[in-house]
Amino acid sequence: MGDEGDRVLVVEDDADLREVYRRILSEFYDTATAATGTEAVEAMSDDTDVVLLDRRLPDTDAETLVRELQNRYRDCYIALVTGVEPGFDIIELGIDDYLVKPVTTEQLHDTVERLLSLAEYDAIYRQLSQKRVKRNVLAEEKSPEELGQSDEFDRLQTDIDRLETELDDVAETVDETIRGLEQ
């Protein structure tokens, strides 16, 4: 489960609930809290991995805050944790998960873990894509003899093979988590 370096921000205006979530999550993650949208923006940083966001906040609506956070922090994953039943308006909302209160400790953990797995998947996929582009350019521009004699090209292919395996492993973890949620 989580890594101490994984950072979670809980944005919840109910002080008691905010403290419960913080206490639950801080056992596994670096957990910060905010009671308002303004505090959430102030508490955010480039190393925030997951935001658990109440849909109704006293100073802003979740839709505006989600857009602002996504514009500033593209690598952050956002789950709404709310008492508001979802409507069709969530289709256009840039969120990665939606939990309806009350939520269990297990639901909070599972959600954070799934979102962290998605972040890991995205990071590996990007590295893999970059390396594949380089391999393909070199394969187009260099002769088979040059490629066969290059230690750098061998290392590149080894990196690609390793990343493909890592990507498959993370994808399997994400798929298992999603299948568990669907049951």
Side-chain angles (χ1 to χ4, degrees):
M1 198 167 282
D3 166 324
E4 254 182 54
D6 295 326
R7 188 162 193 272
V8 177
L9 174 61
V10 174
V11 185
E12 170 62 57
D13 63 329
D14 179 298
D16 293 334
L17 201 49
R18 186 173 59 247
E19 178 57 23
V20 167
Y21 292 170
R22 186 205 60 75
R23 200 170 53 248
I24 289 169
L25 296 171
S26 65
E27 292 181 40
F28 302 99
Y29 316 104
D30 175 14
T31 305
T33 62
T36 65
T38 302
E39 288 180 16
V41 171
E42 291 171 2
M44 281 294 292
S45 67
D46 288 333
D47 64 342
T48 301
D49 300 298
V50 173
V51 175
L52 300 178
L53 175 63
D54 188 4
R55 188 157 187 185
R56 290 192 178 145
L57 297 170
D59 64 339
T60 189
D61 61 275
E63 293 79 6
T64 301
L65 185 56
V66 165
R67 277 193 302 277
E68 182 172 353
L69 295 179
Q70 288 178 327
N71 286 337
R72 289 182 178 199
Y73 305 99
R74 298 218 180 266
D75 294 333
C76 182
Y77 291 78
I78 300 172
L80 289 184
V81 183
T82 178
V84 179
E85 291 290 327
F88 292 106
D89 61 323
I90 69 167
I91 293 171
E92 298 301 318
L93 190 57
I95 57 170
D96 302 292
D97 208 339
Y98 195 107
L99 300 173
V100 178
K101 295 175 189 173
V103 296
T104 65
T105 298
E106 183 179 5
Q107 286 175 303
L108 284 176
H109 282 292
D110 289 350
T111 298
V112 171
E113 283 300 308
R114 187 177 69 75
L115 296 179
L116 290 171
S117 292
L118 286 173
E120 181 181 6
Y121 182 92
D122 286 349
I124 294 169
Y125 183 83
R126 184 172 185 186
Q127 287 178 351
L128 178 59
S129 178
Q130 291 170 346
K131 290 183 183 289
R132 283 176 173 165
V133 165
K134 294 169 188 171
R135 178 197 58 197
N136 294 346
V137 167
L138 289 169
E140 274 294 313
E141 299 299 324
K142 300 292 184 185
S143 69
E145 296 78 27
E146 288 175 299
L147 295 175
Q149 295 173 358
S150 171
D151 291 339
E152 292 94 344
F153 191 77
D154 286 344
R155 280 193 299 277
L156 178 64
Q157 188 57 54
T158 299
D159 286 347
I160 289 170
D161 294 342
R162 176 185 52 79
L163 288 168
E164 287 173 339
T165 300
E166 285 180 32
L167 193 66
D168 288 344
D169 291 346
V170 173
E172 189 173 311
T173 300
V174 171
D175 288 345
E176 286 173 8
T177 304
I178 291 171
R179 279 194 299 275
L181 294 173
E182 291 173 345
Q183 294 178 1

